[in-house]
Amino acid sequence: MRRTVFVLGVLGALGTGGFLAVREVFRWAVEHPGTATLVTVVVFPFVLALVVVAVRGMPRLRELRRAAREGKAEAEAEVARAAVVAEEAAPAVVDGPEPTAVRWSSVEDFLAMDAYAFEQAIARLCERDGCRDVQVVGGAGDLGADVLAVTSDGRRIIIQCKRYCTTNKVGSQDMQRFGGTCYTVHEAEIAAVVTTSSFTEPAVDYADTCGIRCFDGDRLVAWSNGGGPTPWG
């Protein structure tokens, strides 16, 4: 608002000053007609010449329009080039299953993983089938828990992952170590051991006594393929 008032004031002052100057010049010309005529004859051609030179030095309207069109075309071409570069730099979209469509079709697929990758695969299967708050906690000091999760109906599940070759079965000692912590330490409502191998009979007996669910390689593959139950189902 203050800037607008200032600009209007400056314009008003210039207009008033111009009007007063013209009036004084006109009054002087009336009082001194001879001198005024002489000044006009001498000064007017000079001013006219300056105006002509200035006008000739200015670009014509047609040239201005042509320059504007050329600038617009160049800007549009630059935008088109930028779009092409952005399109080329964008990652390619590869057709395939959705990220949630997690599936491994055989025990060999799991055996090709290392122990940590196997735990990650089990966690992804849990997420795929509706678990939330899924965590991979396996490692030194895990006290038997490799994957923690909450099922879709709100139960806390603890999973121990055993990536064993088919000739190396999960024994009763493995099961007992897990049974000693899954409920008392990790407060599991569901406890399960998932392996790529199988279980010894003593391990199965102990699991039945403690309520631990045993998932061998066949059950794991069936779960992964969507044709079998989940460890909490």
Side-chain angles (χ1 to χ4, degrees), residues 70-225:
E70 292 176 353
K72 181 180 179 181
E74 185 176 350
E76 291 176 348
E78 185 65 26
V79 171
R81 286 195 295 269
V84 171
V85 171
E87 183 177 356
E88 292 176 350
V93 178
V94 180
D95 293 334
E98 294 295 326
T100 55
V102 179
R103 182 177 290 108
W104 292 273
S105 59
S106 67
V107 172
E108 285 71 21
D109 291 339
F110 293 103
L111 288 174
M113 309 172 183
D114 59 24
Y116 179 73
F118 179 58
E119 294 169 359
Q120 291 286 336
I122 298 304
R124 292 181 65 189
L125 287 172
C126 291
E127 291 179 337
R128 182 197 70 180
D129 291 342
C131 289
R132 62 181 186 276
D133 301 331
V134 180
Q135 304 177 55
V136 177
V137 295
D142 60 16
L143 298 176
D146 293 321
V147 177
L148 311 179
V150 178
T151 63
S152 58
D153 57 0
R155 293 175 294 168
R156 179 177 174 82
I157 180 172
I158 310 298
I159 299 177
Q160 186 178 69
C161 303
K162 293 294 186 183
R163 180 192 159 277
Y164 287 173
C165 64
T166 56
T167 59
N168 185 16
K169 297 183 178 181
V170 179
S172 61
Q173 291 184 351
D174 294 325
M175 195 67 70
Q176 289 172 23
R177 283 192 291 268
F178 181 58
T181 59
C182 61
Y183 293 113
T184 57
V185 176
H186 300 296
E187 299 179 347
E189 295 178 76
I190 304 172
V193 177
V194 177
T195 182
T196 52
S197 179
S198 57
F199 301 87
T200 64
E201 289 187 8
V204 173
D205 292 339
Y206 180 84
D208 289 341
T209 302
C210 297
I212 299 174
R213 304 187 181 193
C214 298
F215 251 60
D216 60 15
D218 292 337
R219 289 187 175 183
L220 171 59
V221 172
W223 173 31
S224 175
N225 290 331

